[in-house]
């Protein structure tokens, strides 16, 4: 039996002649309906929702714990500062009697190398260490700033003394509050490492060295008084 030989145009179908929906892969459900995308299972959706809820609960718990820790730390610091200030205020005031040489040297070191603006906590710590009443320490720093301002105006007759002092300081955050430190303090210690504890250590070490030097000088003076011909060690 002979069949008619169809033409090539009738056999080869162009891509345009095929509906695009027939070119996409379809997924057939049990009921025979075709879908373009395979739906996620109910169990997978439930597990994903459970995981997201658990993550949100964990983040909320971490945030609450952080805030509670920060609040507790701030409360402990404020209680410590109140106790320090109470001790500094309890020191017997010497009235208008000038500070001793050692007290003045310690305060001058803090002023020149750390900050001319110690806050309530640092003034209290300083007063306890050098055994000088709180307001006397605070007034010494205030008077020293005024003295430096007058000296600056004499050399440079412009009302920019306090402004130049402010410009020479660097603002940092120390134990949760703002402080202004000299660049020399930040050269020897990073800003994030400054704390009430570190300040306390720096002042105590400097004060101890002055006490040791003073004791040595007194011992040498006593030996010289007893034996005038004795050679003084260098």
């Amino acid at each position: 039996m002979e069949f008619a030989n169809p033409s090539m145009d009738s056999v080869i179908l162009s891509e345009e002649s095929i509906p695009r929906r027939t070119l996409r892969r379809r997924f057939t459900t049990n009921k025979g309906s075709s879908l373009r995308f395979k739906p996620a299972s109910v169990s997978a959706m439930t597990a994903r929702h459970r995981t997201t809820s658990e993550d949100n609960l964990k983040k909320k718990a971490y945030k609450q714990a952080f805030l509670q820790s920060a609040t507790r730390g701030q409360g402990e610091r404020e209680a410590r500062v109140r106790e320090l200030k109470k001790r500094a205020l309890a020191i017997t005031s010497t009235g208008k009697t000038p500070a001793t040489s050692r007290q003045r040297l310690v305060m001058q070191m803090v002023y020149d190398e750390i900050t001319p603006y110690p806050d309530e906590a640092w003034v209290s710590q300083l007063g306890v260490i050098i055994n000088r009443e709180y307001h006397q320490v605070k007034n010494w720093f205030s008077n020293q700033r005024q003295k430096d301002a007058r000296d600056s105006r004499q050399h440079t007759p412009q009302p920019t003394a306090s402004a130049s002092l402010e410009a020479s300081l660097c603002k940092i955050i120390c134990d949760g509050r703002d402080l202004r430190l000299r660049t020399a303090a930040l050269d020897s210690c990073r800003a994030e490492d400054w704390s009430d504890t570190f300040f306390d250590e720096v002042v105590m070490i400097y004060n101890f060295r002055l006490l040791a030097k003073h004791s040595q000088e007194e011992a040498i003076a006593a030996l010289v008084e007893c034996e005038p011909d004795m050679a003084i060690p260098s």
Side-chain angles (χ1 to χ4, degrees):
M1 181 180 294
E2 294 182 1
F3 296 93
N5 186 18
S7 63
M8 294 300 294
D9 294 337
S10 62
V11 175
I12 301 176
L13 298 177
S14 63
E15 185 179 353
E16 290 77 3
S17 63
I18 302 175
R20 288 189 178 276
R21 63 175 177 272
T22 62
L23 298 177
R24 296 179 180 177
R25 184 179 178 182
R26 294 169 178 264
F27 294 93
T28 305
T29 62
N30 294 333
K31 295 182 180 181
S33 63
S34 59
L35 298 172
R36 291 186 178 181
F37 304 101
K38 187 177 180 180
S41 63
V42 176
S43 60
M45 295 177 64
T46 305
R48 190 181 303 115
H49 178 71
R50 186 185 303 113
T51 302
T52 303
S53 300
E54 291 176 354
D55 291 342
N56 291 336
L57 289 175
K58 288 181 180 179
K59 291 179 181 178
K60 187 176 181 180
Y62 290 153
K63 184 177 181 180
Q64 290 178 347
F66 175 79
L67 292 176
Q68 290 175 357
S69 177
T71 303
R72 183 168 56 253
Q74 183 68 15
E76 292 175 353
R77 181 194 167 274
E78 290 177 355
R80 185 174 66 253
V81 172
R82 286 195 298 268
E83 179 61 25
L84 277 171
K85 186 175 181 180
K86 182 179 179 181
R87 291 172 58 189
L89 289 170
I91 297 173
T92 303
S93 175
T94 57
K96 295 183 179 181
T97 303
T100 64
S101 176
R102 175 183 57 84
Q103 292 172 338
R104 187 175 62 255
L105 287 174
V106 174
M107 291 188 291
Q108 192 70 51
M109 183 276 295
V110 173
Y111 185 93
D112 292 337
E113 301 184 21
I114 301 179
T115 177
Y117 292 98
D119 67 349
E120 182 181 56
W122 285 13
V123 169
S124 300
Q125 288 177 268
L126 190 54
V128 171
I129 292 173
I130 66 176
N131 194 34
R132 191 161 179 82
E133 198 266 340
Y134 174 87
H135 291 101
Q136 290 184 307
V137 175
K138 185 177 181 179
N139 291 338
W140 184 91
F141 278 88
S142 177
N143 294 336
Q144 191 66 24
R145 290 193 298 268
Q146 294 177 14
K147 179 178 178 297
D148 285 355
R150 287 194 302 270
D151 294 343
S152 298
R153 284 194 294 268
Q154 289 177 359
H155 293 87
T156 306
Q158 296 178 359
T160 59
S162 59
S164 61
L165 176 61
E166 292 288 341
S168 66
L169 303 177
C170 301
K171 292 183 179 180
I172 70 165
I173 298 177
C174 175
D175 289 345
R177 85 274 190 192
D178 295 333
L179 281 177
R180 292 167 289 179
L181 300 189
R182 292 191 183 275
T183 55
L186 299 180
D187 291 339
S188 59
C189 180
R190 298 179 304 174
E192 56 268 24
D193 292 334
W194 276 98
S195 64
D196 292 346
T197 302
F198 184 73
F199 175 81
D200 190 70
E201 292 176 355
V202 171
V203 176
M204 286 185 67
I205 291 173
Y206 190 79
N207 183 63
F208 176 78
R209 288 177 177 174
L210 292 177
L211 286 172
K213 182 179 179 181
H214 181 69
S215 299
Q216 184 180 18
E217 291 174 349
E218 286 186 339
I220 292 174
L223 288 174
V224 171
E225 184 178 354
C226 294
E227 301 180 19
D229 298 333
M230 180 179 179
I232 301 176
S234 58

